[in-house]
Amino acid sequence: MLAFLAKRMLAVIPVMAIVAVVVFLLLRLSPGDPALVIAGDNADPEAVQRIRVALGLDQPLVTQFWVWLRHMLSGDLGTSIFSKLPVTDLILQRAEPTLSLALATMVFAIGVAIPLGTIAGATAGSWLDRSLMAVSVVGFSLPAFVLGYCMIYVFALQLGWAPVQGFTSISKGFLPFLHSIALPALTLGLAYMVLIARITRASVLEMMGEDFIRTARAKGVVERLVVTHHALRNAAIPILTIIGIGVALLISGVVVIETVFNIPGIGRLVVDAILKRDYPVIQGVILLFSAVYVLINLAIDVGYAFLDPRVRY
Amino acid sequence: MTLLSPAQADEGPRNPFLGLAAQALRNPSVLIGGFIVAAIVIMAAAAPLLGTVDPVRINPAIRLKPPSDLFWFGTDLFGRDIYSRVVYGARSSLMVGVSVAACAIVFGVAIGLVTGYFRRLDVVVMRVMDGLMAIPTFLLAIALVSLTRASVGTVVAALTIPEIPRVVRLVRSVVLTVREEAYVEAAISVGTPTPLILLRHILPSTIAPLLVLGTYVCAQAILVEAALSFLGTGLPPEIPSWGNMISEGRTFFQVMPRLVFLPSLFLALTVLGINLLGDGLRDTLDPRIAKRM
């Protein structure tokens, strides 16, 4: 078990190293001299040179990379070119809305997808199964921002059930918070929910044909327990895997959905940074989101070992 | 055991591709998806013939007009004809989608064939691909777009790079299975040069799964282009694209939802058509393809 955990964790290092190199090169390839940007348009060449030396931009690329990597590993993501604030602070200031949105979306998507997918898989060919498959094709084809505007139109403008835009902090009460996060979470969660439901359906369906299901039925286990205790439990690994992979969908979605619903989160931060070409902020957010993605998938890999003894090889 | 009747023997082997095509056309997903895609392609190709006016002509005197006989879908906040912009927008979306799918497949196949076949390269290249795949597609695309000034070329490049690892993984997985086949061993043993083995004996096995993956990449590229343009970092604003139209219409959404919903409808329909086509092709060509992706 320990060897398995160690192997899994070590495998993350090369992946993150490649991510770091890509993100570092991204910043260095960006047009424009960072020293010139910081010094401003009217700075004299000597001042620019001073800033260049201060930033270490006169060093060879490899040296720059190691210095940069040391900063990143110690949690220093650099300074925004525009607000002059540390990127870490900017991200922390905006973490609450994004984290709330992501968590609410996951709770909704997983909470709906697994029961729905399980029932569809256990009753393959039924009307529920067919409608789930039909909805899933549509769910994949509807861009998140289009769905977002449909949601705003129906639930906020026509029915008045939800605020049109904006975010209410949880410190102002749980219900107002939930009220402001519901539409964005539903919007963001549809594609994720559909993805998980499809895989759940397929895995449960595959398990339903296994011998141990026949055995369970033969010994008189109630059908509901056959499905939940025997089929679903054995289908857990592909379901967990897709929950992890789908986090990429959430991260991409957050960036767009925060713009649609005007939520001041990390997604909005990175979009503003791109429009202003604030490279340290773009770099910091990409690094953070990629690390979160890799770590969630690592946690899921480790989770297999606890769930399924067959994995501990 | 029955002998073949002379008539049957004369028929000879049927073209396997024709047989597959006939089978694919019986699949409802292929039919519906193909119909939608064909309609959008015809709309894009015949855009000037469909009663459109210049989609970029600005006329402040007729801003935000409701639909009428003259302007079928009304006009936008610059007085441009929405109907014409929606029809011409199909050109932008399809061009981006098809270019990204084609580029990703060309580069992905080249890298995948070589790395799958030469074990020593495999480790290094696949680590790089894993690293690229660890950056969520959309983030990598917006980061790449932010590097240069917005143009069609940079958008296509920025959307292609994140898709290449997916193609490489697929091609590699096919190569790894096929290279163990007896006919490849036979080719090696008679001294066929390696490039010829790759092109003549291994490449054909990748065609069917690549056709399916290509449709998904195309649909994904159209979605991401629209999302980028929606955020203001995609195609240059003067190009009529559905994403740009939604982005511009956003400020007037509460008073005139049409500005957002009309381009959205066509965008969603196009992606739905391509996805249906892909699902249908996957089911008819080879059910095992799904496992590789």
Side-chain angles (χ1 to χ4, degrees), chain A residues 14-15 18-19 22-23 26 29-31 137-138 140-143 145-146 149-150 152-153 157 164 198 248 251-252 255-256 259-260 271 274-275 277 279 282 286 289-290 293-294, chain B residues 127-128 130-136 138-140 142-144 146-149 223 226-227 230-233 246 250 253-254 257 260-261 264 267-268 271-272 275-276 279 282:
Chain A
V15 172
I18 302 273
V19 172
V22 170
V23 173
L26 212 59
L29 285 174
S30 58
V137 184
V138 178
F140 279 132
S141 309
L142 211 55
F145 56 99
V146 169
Y149 281 114
C150 294
I152 293 178
Y153 186 75
L157 294 178
V164 175
R198 262 177 97 128
I251 291 173
S252 309
V255 179
V256 179
T259 302
V260 173
V271 172
I274 285 163
L275 294 174
R277 298 177 185 251
Y279 293 108
I282 304 176
I286 293 182
F289 277 165
S290 307
Y293 181 51
V294 171
Chain B
R127 281 291 91 78
V128 175
D130 284 347
L132 277 177
M133 285 179 88
I135 305 176
F138 187 63
L139 276 187
L140 186 55
I142 45 179
L144 289 168
S146 73
L147 286 181
T148 48
R149 195 165 296 169
L223 278 181
F230 167 74
L231 293 175
T233 59
I246 298 170
R250 187 168 112 208
F253 175 66
Q254 296 203 25
V260 167
F261 284 147
S264 299
L267 173 63
V271 177
L272 177 69
N275 276 338
L276 279 175
D279 282 354
R282 183 194 60 204

Coordinates of all heavy atoms in Angstrom, one line a residue, chain A residues 14-15 18-19 22-23 26 29-31 137-138 140-143 145-146 149-150 152-153 157 164 198 248 251-252 255-256 259-260 271 274-275 277 279 282 286 289-290 293-294, chain B residues 127-128 130-136 138-140 142-144 146-149 223 226-227 230-233 246 250 253-254 257 260-261 264 267-268 271-272 275-276 279 282:
Chain A
P14 N 7.1 14.6 -12.5 CA 7.4 15.0 -13.9 C 6.3 15.8 -14.6 O 6.6 16.7 -15.3 CB 7.7 13.6 -14.6 CG 7.2 12.6 -13.7 CD 7.2 13.2 -12.3
V15 N 5.1 15.4 -14.3 CA 3.9 16.1 -14.9 C 4.0 17.6 -14.5 O 3.9 18.5 -15.4 CB 2.6 15.5 -14.6 CG1 1.4 16.3 -15.0 CG2 2.5 14.1 -15.1
I18 N 6.8 19.5 -16.2 CA 6.5 19.9 -17.6 C 5.6 21.1 -17.6 O 5.7 22.1 -18.3 CB 5.8 18.7 -18.3 CG1 6.7 17.5 -18.3 CG2 5.5 19.2 -19.7 CD1 7.8 17.5 -19.4
V19 N 4.5 21.1 -16.7 CA 3.6 22.2 -16.6 C 4.4 23.5 -16.3 O 4.2 24.5 -16.9 CB 2.5 21.9 -15.5 CG1 1.7 23.2 -15.3 CG2 1.6 20.8 -15.9
V22 N 6.3 24.7 -19.3 CA 5.4 25.3 -20.3 C 5.0 26.7 -19.9 O 5.0 27.6 -20.7 CB 4.2 24.4 -20.6 CG1 3.1 25.1 -21.4 CG2 4.6 23.1 -21.2
V23 N 4.6 26.8 -18.6 CA 4.0 28.1 -18.1 C 5.2 29.1 -18.1 O 4.9 30.3 -18.5 CB 3.4 27.9 -16.8 CG1 3.0 29.2 -16.2 CG2 2.2 27.0 -16.9
L26 N 5.9 30.3 -21.6 CA 4.7 31.1 -22.0 C 5.0 32.5 -21.6 O 4.7 33.5 -22.4 CB 3.5 30.6 -21.3 CG 2.1 30.7 -22.0 CD1 2.2 29.9 -23.3 CD2 1.1 30.1 -21.1
L29 N 7.9 33.9 -23.6 CA 7.7 34.1 -25.1 C 6.7 35.3 -25.3 O 6.6 35.7 -26.4 CB 7.0 32.8 -25.6 CG 7.9 31.6 -25.8 CD1 7.0 30.4 -26.3 CD2 8.9 31.9 -26.9
S30 N 6.1 35.8 -24.2 CA 5.2 36.9 -24.4 C 5.9 38.1 -25.0 O 7.0 38.4 -24.7 CB 4.5 37.2 -23.1 OG 5.5 37.6 -22.2
P31 N 5.2 38.7 -26.0 CA 5.9 39.9 -26.7 C 6.0 41.0 -25.7 O 5.3 41.1 -24.7 CB 4.9 40.2 -27.8 CG 3.6 39.7 -27.3 CD 3.9 38.5 -26.4
V137 N -26.5 14.3 -25.0 CA -25.9 14.9 -26.3 C -26.1 16.4 -26.3 O -25.2 17.2 -26.7 CB -26.6 14.2 -27.5 CG1 -25.9 14.7 -28.8 CG2 -26.4 12.7 -27.5
V138 N -27.3 16.8 -25.9 CA -27.6 18.2 -25.9 C -26.7 18.9 -24.9 O -26.2 20.0 -25.2 CB -29.1 18.5 -25.6 CG1 -29.4 20.0 -25.5 CG2 -30.0 17.8 -26.7
F140 N -23.8 18.3 -23.9 CA -22.4 18.4 -24.4 C -22.3 19.5 -25.5 O -21.3 20.1 -25.7 CB -21.9 17.1 -25.0 CG -21.4 16.2 -23.9 CD1 -21.8 14.8 -24.0 CD2 -20.5 16.6 -22.9 CE1 -21.3 14.0 -23.0 CE2 -20.1 15.7 -22.0 CZ -20.5 14.4 -22.0
S141 N -23.4 19.7 -26.2 CA -23.3 20.7 -27.3 C -23.7 22.1 -26.9 O -23.4 23.0 -27.7 CB -24.3 20.2 -28.4 OG -24.1 18.9 -28.7
L142 N -24.3 22.3 -25.8 CA -24.7 23.6 -25.4 C -23.5 24.3 -24.7 O -23.1 23.9 -23.6 CB -25.9 23.5 -24.4 CG -26.9 24.6 -24.4 CD1 -27.4 24.9 -25.8 CD2 -28.1 24.3 -23.5
P143 N -23.0 25.4 -25.3 CA -21.9 26.0 -24.6 C -22.4 26.6 -23.2 O -23.5 27.0 -23.1 CB -21.5 27.2 -25.5 CG -22.2 26.9 -26.8 CD -23.4 26.0 -26.5
F145 N -21.8 29.3 -21.7 CA -22.3 30.7 -21.6 C -23.7 30.8 -22.2 O -24.5 31.7 -21.8 CB -21.3 31.7 -22.2 CG -20.9 31.4 -23.6 CD1 -21.4 32.1 -24.6 CD2 -19.9 30.5 -23.8 CE1 -21.0 31.9 -25.9 CE2 -19.4 30.3 -25.1 CZ -20.0 30.9 -26.2
V146 N -24.0 30.0 -23.3 CA -25.3 30.1 -23.9 C -26.3 29.6 -22.8 O -27.4 30.2 -22.6 CB -25.3 29.2 -25.1 CG1 -26.8 29.0 -25.6 CG2 -24.5 29.8 -26.2
Y149 N -27.1 32.2 -20.2 CA -28.0 33.2 -20.6 C -29.4 32.7 -20.7 O -30.4 33.4 -20.3 CB -27.6 33.9 -22.0 CG -26.5 34.9 -21.8 CD1 -25.2 34.7 -22.3 CD2 -26.7 36.0 -21.0 CE1 -24.2 35.6 -22.1 CE2 -25.7 36.9 -20.8 CZ -24.4 36.7 -21.4 OH -23.4 37.6 -21.1
C150 N -29.6 31.5 -21.1 CA -31.0 30.9 -21.1 C -31.5 30.8 -19.6 O -32.6 31.2 -19.4 CB -30.9 29.4 -21.6 SG -30.5 29.4 -23.4
I152 N -30.5 32.7 -17.1 CA -30.8 34.1 -16.6 C -32.2 34.5 -17.1 O -33.0 35.1 -16.4 CB -29.7 35.0 -17.0 CG1 -28.4 34.7 -16.3 CG2 -30.1 36.5 -16.7 CD1 -27.3 35.6 -16.7
Y153 N -32.4 34.2 -18.4 CA -33.6 34.7 -19.1 C -34.8 34.1 -18.4 O -35.8 34.8 -18.1 CB -33.6 34.3 -20.6 CG -34.7 34.9 -21.4 CD1 -34.8 36.3 -21.7 CD2 -35.8 34.1 -21.8 CE1 -35.8 36.8 -22.4 CE2 -36.8 34.6 -22.5 CZ -36.9 36.0 -22.8 OH -37.9 36.5 -23.5
L157 N -35.0 36.7 -15.3 CA -35.8 37.8 -15.9 C -37.3 37.5 -16.0 O -38.1 38.3 -15.7 CB -35.2 38.1 -17.3 CG -33.8 38.6 -17.3 CD1 -33.4 38.8 -18.8 CD2 -33.7 40.0 -16.6
V164 N -30.2 38.3 -11.1 CA -29.7 38.2 -12.5 C -28.2 38.0 -12.4 O -27.8 37.1 -13.1 CB -30.0 39.6 -13.2 CG1 -29.4 39.5 -14.6 CG2 -31.5 39.8 -13.3
R198 N -23.3 9.7 -17.7 CA -23.1 8.8 -18.8 C -22.1 7.6 -18.4 O -22.4 6.5 -18.7 CB -22.4 9.5 -20.0 CG -23.4 10.0 -21.0 CD -22.6 10.8 -22.0 NE -22.3 9.9 -23.2 CZ -22.6 10.3 -24.4 NH1 -23.2 11.4 -24.7 NH2 -22.2 9.5 -25.4
A248 N -11.4 19.4 -15.1 CA -10.9 20.3 -16.1 C -12.1 21.1 -16.8 O -12.0 22.3 -17.0 CB -10.2 19.5 -17.2
I251 N -13.0 23.8 -14.4 CA -12.1 24.9 -14.4 C -12.3 25.8 -15.6 O -12.4 27.1 -15.5 CB -10.6 24.4 -14.3 CG1 -10.4 23.8 -12.9 CG2 -9.6 25.5 -14.6 CD1 -9.1 23.1 -12.8
S252 N -12.4 25.2 -16.8 CA -12.7 26.0 -18.0 C -14.0 26.7 -17.8 O -14.1 27.9 -18.2 CB -12.8 25.1 -19.2 OG -11.6 24.3 -19.2
V255 N -14.2 30.0 -15.7 CA -13.7 31.2 -16.3 C -14.8 31.9 -17.1 O -15.0 33.2 -17.0 CB -12.5 30.9 -17.3 CG1 -12.0 32.1 -18.0 CG2 -11.4 30.2 -16.5
V256 N -15.6 31.1 -17.8 CA -16.7 31.7 -18.6 C -17.9 32.1 -17.8 O -18.4 33.2 -17.9 CB -17.1 30.7 -19.7 CG1 -18.2 31.3 -20.6 CG2 -15.9 30.4 -20.6
T259 N -17.9 35.3 -15.9 CA -18.2 36.5 -16.7 C -19.7 36.6 -17.0 O -20.2 37.7 -16.9 CB -17.4 36.4 -18.1 OG1 -16.0 36.3 -17.8 CG2 -17.6 37.6 -18.9
V260 N -20.3 35.5 -17.3 CA -21.8 35.6 -17.6 C -22.5 36.1 -16.4 O -23.4 37.0 -16.5 CB -22.3 34.2 -18.0 CG1 -23.8 34.2 -18.1 CG2 -21.6 33.7 -19.3
V271 N -9.5 36.5 -16.8 CA -10.0 37.1 -18.0 C -9.5 38.5 -18.1 O -9.0 39.0 -19.1 CB -11.5 37.0 -18.1 CG1 -12.0 37.8 -19.3 CG2 -11.9 35.5 -18.3
I274 N -5.9 38.7 -19.0 CA -5.7 38.4 -20.4 C -6.0 39.7 -21.2 O -5.2 40.0 -22.1 CB -6.4 37.2 -20.9 CG1 -5.8 36.0 -20.3 CG2 -6.5 37.2 -22.4 CD1 -6.7 34.8 -20.4
L275 N -7.1 40.3 -20.9 CA -7.4 41.5 -21.7 C -6.4 42.6 -21.5 O -6.2 43.4 -22.4 CB -8.8 42.0 -21.3 CG -10.0 41.0 -21.7 CD1 -11.3 41.5 -21.2 CD2 -10.0 40.9 -23.2
R277 N -3.2 41.9 -20.7 CA -1.9 41.2 -20.8 C -1.0 41.3 -19.6 O 0.1 41.7 -19.6 CB -1.2 41.8 -22.0 CG -2.0 41.6 -23.3 CD -1.4 42.2 -24.5 NE -2.5 41.9 -25.5 CZ -2.3 41.0 -26.5 NH1 -1.2 40.3 -26.6 NH2 -3.3 40.8 -27.3
Y279 N 0.8 39.3 -17.6 CA 1.3 38.0 -17.7 C 1.5 37.3 -16.4 O 1.2 36.1 -16.2 CB 2.5 37.9 -18.6 CG 2.2 38.2 -20.0 CD1 2.6 39.4 -20.6 CD2 1.4 37.3 -20.8 CE1 2.2 39.7 -21.9 CE2 1.0 37.6 -22.1 CZ 1.4 38.8 -22.6 OH 1.1 39.0 -23.9
I282 N -1.8 35.8 -15.3 CA -2.2 34.7 -16.1 C -1.4 33.5 -15.7 O -2.0 32.4 -15.5 CB -1.9 35.0 -17.6 CG1 -2.6 36.3 -18.0 CG2 -2.3 33.8 -18.5 CD1 -2.2 36.7 -19.5
I286 N -2.9 30.0 -14.1 CA -2.8 28.7 -14.8 C -2.0 27.7 -14.0 O -2.4 26.5 -13.9 CB -2.1 28.9 -16.2 CG1 -3.0 29.7 -17.1 CG2 -1.7 27.6 -16.8 CD1 -2.4 30.0 -18.4
F289 N -4.4 26.5 -11.2 CA -5.5 25.6 -11.6 C -4.9 24.2 -12.1 O -5.6 23.2 -11.8 CB -6.3 26.3 -12.8 CG -7.3 27.2 -12.3 CD1 -7.9 28.1 -13.2 CD2 -7.8 27.2 -11.0 CE1 -8.9 29.0 -12.8 CE2 -8.8 28.1 -10.6 CZ -9.3 29.0 -11.5
S290 N -3.8 24.3 -12.8 CA -3.2 23.0 -13.2 C -2.8 22.1 -12.0 O -3.0 20.9 -12.0 CB -2.0 23.2 -14.1 OG -2.3 24.1 -15.1
Y293 N -5.8 20.6 -10.5 CA -6.3 19.5 -11.3 C -5.5 18.3 -11.1 O -6.0 17.2 -10.9 CB -6.2 20.0 -12.8 CG -6.7 19.0 -13.8 CD1 -8.0 18.4 -13.7 CD2 -5.9 18.7 -14.9 CE1 -8.4 17.5 -14.7 CE2 -6.4 17.8 -15.9 CZ -7.6 17.2 -15.7 OH -8.0 16.3 -16.7
V294 N -4.2 18.4 -11.2 CA -3.3 17.3 -11.0 C -3.5 16.7 -9.6 O -3.5 15.4 -9.4 CB -1.8 17.7 -11.2 CG1 -0.9 16.5 -10.8 CG2 -1.6 18.0 -12.7
Chain B
R127 N 5.6 12.0 -21.6 CA 5.7 12.9 -20.4 C 5.3 14.3 -20.8 O 4.5 14.9 -20.1 CB 7.1 12.9 -19.8 CG 7.5 11.6 -19.0 CD 6.7 11.5 -17.7 NE 5.5 10.8 -17.8 CZ 5.4 9.5 -17.8 NH1 6.5 8.7 -17.7 NH2 4.3 8.8 -18.0
V128 N 5.8 14.8 -21.9 CA 5.5 16.1 -22.4 C 4.0 16.2 -22.6 O 3.3 17.2 -22.2 CB 6.3 16.5 -23.6 CG1 5.8 17.9 -24.1 CG2 7.7 16.5 -23.3
D130 N 1.6 14.4 -21.3 CA 0.9 14.3 -20.0 C 0.9 15.7 -19.3 O -0.1 16.2 -18.8 CB 1.6 13.4 -19.0 CG 1.3 11.9 -19.4 OD1 0.3 11.7 -20.2 OD2 1.9 11.0 -18.8
G131 N 2.1 16.4 -19.4 CA 2.2 17.7 -18.9 C 1.2 18.7 -19.5 O 0.5 19.5 -18.9
L132 N 1.2 18.6 -20.9 CA 0.3 19.5 -21.6 C -1.2 19.2 -21.3 O -2.0 20.1 -21.2 CB 0.5 19.3 -23.1 CG 1.6 20.1 -23.8 CD1 1.7 19.8 -25.3 CD2 1.4 21.6 -23.6
M133 N -1.5 17.9 -21.1 CA -2.9 17.6 -20.8 C -3.3 18.0 -19.3 O -4.4 18.1 -19.0 CB -3.1 16.1 -21.0 CG -3.2 15.8 -22.5 SD -3.5 14.1 -22.8 CE -5.2 13.9 -22.7
A134 N -2.2 18.2 -18.5 CA -2.5 18.6 -17.1 C -3.0 20.1 -17.0 O -3.6 20.5 -16.0 CB -1.3 18.4 -16.2
I135 N -2.7 20.8 -18.1 CA -3.2 22.2 -18.1 C -4.6 22.2 -18.8 O -4.7 21.7 -19.9 CB -2.3 23.1 -18.9 CG1 -0.9 23.0 -18.4 CG2 -2.8 24.5 -18.9 CD1 0.1 23.8 -19.2
P136 N -5.7 22.5 -18.1 CA -7.0 22.5 -18.7 C -7.0 23.2 -20.1 O -6.5 24.3 -20.2 CB -7.9 23.2 -17.7 CG -7.2 23.0 -16.4 CD -5.7 23.0 -16.7
F138 N -9.0 24.8 -22.0 CA -9.4 26.1 -22.2 C -8.4 27.2 -21.7 O -8.2 28.2 -22.4 CB -10.8 26.3 -21.6 CG -11.4 27.6 -21.9 CD1 -11.8 27.9 -23.2 CD2 -11.7 28.5 -20.9 CE1 -12.4 29.1 -23.5 CE2 -12.3 29.7 -21.2 CZ -12.6 30.0 -22.5
L139 N -7.8 26.9 -20.6 CA -6.8 27.8 -20.0 C -5.6 27.9 -20.9 O -5.1 29.0 -21.1 CB -6.4 27.3 -18.6 CG -7.3 27.7 -17.4 CD1 -6.6 27.2 -16.2 CD2 -7.5 29.2 -17.4
L140 N -5.1 26.8 -21.4 CA -4.0 26.8 -22.3 C -4.3 27.6 -23.5 O -3.5 28.4 -24.0 CB -3.6 25.3 -22.6 CG -2.3 25.1 -23.4 CD1 -1.1 25.8 -22.7 CD2 -2.0 23.7 -23.6
I142 N -6.5 30.1 -23.8 CA -6.5 31.5 -23.6 C -5.1 32.1 -23.3 O -4.8 33.2 -23.7 CB -7.5 32.0 -22.6 CG1 -7.5 31.2 -21.3 CG2 -8.9 32.1 -23.0 CD1 -8.5 31.8 -20.3
A143 N -4.3 31.3 -22.7 CA -2.9 31.7 -22.4 C -2.2 31.9 -23.8 O -1.5 32.9 -24.0 CB -2.2 30.8 -21.6
L144 N -2.4 31.0 -24.7 CA -1.7 31.1 -26.0 C -2.2 32.2 -26.8 O -1.4 33.0 -27.4 CB -1.9 29.8 -26.7 CG -1.1 28.6 -26.2 CD1 -1.5 27.3 -26.9 CD2 0.4 28.8 -26.4
S146 N -3.4 34.9 -25.6 CA -3.0 36.2 -25.0 C -1.6 36.6 -25.4 O -1.2 37.7 -25.2 CB -3.1 36.2 -23.5 OG -2.1 35.4 -23.0
L147 N -0.8 35.6 -26.0 CA 0.6 35.9 -26.3 C 0.7 36.9 -27.5 O 1.6 37.6 -27.6 CB 1.3 34.6 -26.7 CG 1.7 33.7 -25.5 CD1 2.4 32.5 -26.0 CD2 2.5 34.5 -24.5
T148 N -0.2 36.8 -28.4 CA -0.1 37.6 -29.7 C -1.4 38.3 -29.9 O -2.4 38.1 -29.2 CB 0.1 36.6 -30.9 OG1 -0.8 35.6 -30.8 CG2 1.5 36.1 -30.9
R149 N -1.3 39.2 -30.9 CA -2.5 39.9 -31.3 C -3.6 39.0 -31.9 O -3.2 38.0 -32.5 CB -2.1 41.0 -32.3 CG -3.2 42.0 -32.5 CD -2.6 43.2 -33.2 NE -1.5 43.9 -32.4 CZ -0.7 44.8 -32.9 NH1 -0.8 45.2 -34.2 NH2 0.2 45.3 -32.1
L223 N -16.7 25.3 -30.1 CA -17.1 25.8 -28.8 C -16.1 26.7 -28.1 O -16.5 27.8 -27.6 CB -17.3 24.6 -27.9 CG -18.7 23.8 -28.0 CD1 -18.7 22.7 -26.9 CD2 -19.8 24.8 -27.7
A226 N -15.9 30.1 -29.8 CA -17.0 31.0 -29.4 C -16.8 31.5 -28.0 O -17.0 32.7 -27.7 CB -18.3 30.2 -29.5
A227 N -16.3 30.6 -27.1 CA -16.1 31.1 -25.7 C -15.0 32.1 -25.6 O -15.1 33.1 -24.9 CB -15.7 29.9 -24.8
F230 N -16.3 35.3 -27.0 CA -17.3 35.8 -26.0 C -16.5 36.6 -24.9 O -17.0 37.6 -24.5 CB -18.1 34.6 -25.4 CG -18.8 35.0 -24.2 CD1 -20.0 35.7 -24.2 CD2 -18.4 34.6 -22.9 CE1 -20.7 36.1 -23.1 CE2 -19.1 34.9 -21.8 CZ -20.3 35.7 -21.9
L231 N -15.4 36.1 -24.5 CA -14.6 36.8 -23.5 C -13.8 37.9 -24.0 O -13.2 38.7 -23.3 CB -13.6 35.8 -22.8 CG -14.2 34.7 -22.0 CD1 -13.2 33.7 -21.5 CD2 -15.0 35.2 -20.8
G232 N -13.8 38.1 -25.4 CA -13.1 39.2 -26.0 C -11.7 38.9 -26.3 O -10.9 39.8 -26.5
T233 N -11.3 37.6 -26.3 CA -9.9 37.3 -26.6 C -9.8 36.3 -27.8 O -8.8 35.7 -28.0 CB -9.2 36.6 -25.4 OG1 -10.0 35.4 -25.1 CG2 -9.2 37.4 -24.2
I246 N -22.4 37.2 -29.7 CA -22.9 37.0 -28.3 C -22.2 38.0 -27.4 O -22.8 38.6 -26.5 CB -22.7 35.6 -27.8 CG1 -23.4 34.6 -28.8 CG2 -23.1 35.4 -26.4 CD1 -23.1 33.1 -28.6
R250 N -24.2 41.0 -25.3 CA -24.3 40.7 -23.9 C -24.8 42.0 -23.1 O -25.6 41.9 -22.2 CB -22.9 40.4 -23.5 CG -22.7 39.9 -22.1 CD -21.3 39.3 -22.1 NE -20.4 40.1 -21.3 CZ -19.1 40.2 -21.4 NH1 -18.6 39.5 -22.4 NH2 -18.4 40.9 -20.6
F253 N -28.5 42.4 -23.3 CA -29.2 41.1 -23.1 C -30.6 41.3 -22.5 O -31.6 40.7 -22.9 CB -28.4 40.1 -22.3 CG -29.1 38.9 -22.0 CD1 -29.4 38.0 -23.0 CD2 -29.5 38.5 -20.7 CE1 -30.1 36.9 -22.8 CE2 -30.1 37.4 -20.5 CZ -30.5 36.5 -21.5
Q254 N -30.6 42.2 -21.4 CA -31.9 42.3 -20.7 C -33.0 42.9 -21.5 O -34.2 42.6 -21.4 CB -31.7 43.1 -19.4 CG -30.7 42.3 -18.5 CD -30.9 42.7 -17.0 OE1 -31.9 43.2 -16.6 NE2 -29.8 42.5 -16.3
P257 N -32.9 40.2 -25.7 CA -32.2 38.9 -25.6 C -31.9 38.2 -27.0 O -31.0 37.4 -27.1 CB -33.2 38.0 -24.8 CG -34.4 38.9 -24.5 CD -34.2 40.2 -25.1
V260 N -28.3 37.8 -28.2 CA -27.6 36.7 -27.7 C -28.1 35.4 -28.2 O -27.4 34.5 -28.6 CB -27.5 36.8 -26.1 CG1 -27.0 35.5 -25.6 CG2 -26.7 37.9 -25.6
F261 N -29.5 35.3 -28.2 CA -30.1 34.0 -28.5 C -29.9 33.5 -29.9 O -29.8 32.3 -30.2 CB -31.5 33.9 -28.0 CG -31.7 33.8 -26.5 CD1 -32.7 34.4 -25.8 CD2 -30.7 33.1 -25.8 CE1 -32.8 34.3 -24.5 CE2 -30.9 33.0 -24.4 CZ -31.9 33.6 -23.8
S264 N -26.5 32.1 -30.6 CA -26.4 31.0 -29.7 C -27.1 29.8 -30.3 O -26.6 28.6 -30.2 CB -27.0 31.2 -28.3 OG -26.4 32.3 -27.7
L267 N -25.0 28.3 -33.0 CA -23.8 27.8 -32.5 C -24.1 26.4 -31.9 O -23.5 25.4 -32.2 CB -23.3 28.7 -31.4 CG -22.1 28.2 -30.5 CD1 -20.9 27.9 -31.4 CD2 -21.7 29.2 -29.5
A268 N -25.2 26.3 -31.0 CA -25.5 25.1 -30.4 C -25.9 24.0 -31.4 O -25.6 22.8 -31.3 CB -26.6 25.3 -29.3
V271 N -22.8 22.6 -33.2 CA -22.0 21.7 -32.4 C -22.8 20.4 -32.1 O -22.3 19.3 -32.2 CB -21.7 22.3 -31.0 CG1 -21.0 21.4 -30.1 CG2 -20.8 23.6 -31.3
L272 N -24.1 20.5 -31.9 CA -25.0 19.3 -31.8 C -24.9 18.4 -33.0 O -24.7 17.2 -32.9 CB -26.4 19.7 -31.5 CG -27.4 18.6 -31.4 CD1 -27.2 17.9 -30.1 CD2 -28.9 19.2 -31.4
N275 N -21.5 16.7 -33.1 CA -21.4 15.7 -32.0 C -22.2 14.4 -32.4 O -21.8 13.3 -32.2 CB -21.9 16.2 -30.7 CG -20.8 17.0 -30.0 OD1 -19.6 16.7 -30.2 ND2 -21.1 17.8 -29.1
L276 N -23.4 14.6 -32.9 CA -24.3 13.5 -33.3 C -23.6 12.7 -34.4 O -23.6 11.4 -34.3 CB -25.6 14.0 -33.8 CG -26.7 14.4 -32.8 CD1 -27.9 15.0 -33.4 CD2 -27.1 13.2 -31.9
D279 N -20.8 10.7 -32.7 CA -21.4 9.5 -32.0 C -21.8 8.4 -32.9 O -21.5 7.2 -32.7 CB -22.6 10.0 -31.1 CG -22.1 10.7 -29.9 OD1 -20.9 10.8 -29.6 OD2 -23.0 11.3 -29.1
R282 N -18.9 6.7 -34.5 CA -18.2 5.8 -33.5 C -18.9 4.5 -33.4 O -18.3 3.4 -33.4 CB -18.2 6.5 -32.2 CG -17.4 5.8 -31.1 CD -17.7 6.4 -29.7 NE -19.2 6.3 -29.5 CZ -19.8 7.1 -28.6 NH1 -19.1 8.0 -28.0 NH2 -21.1 7.0 -28.4

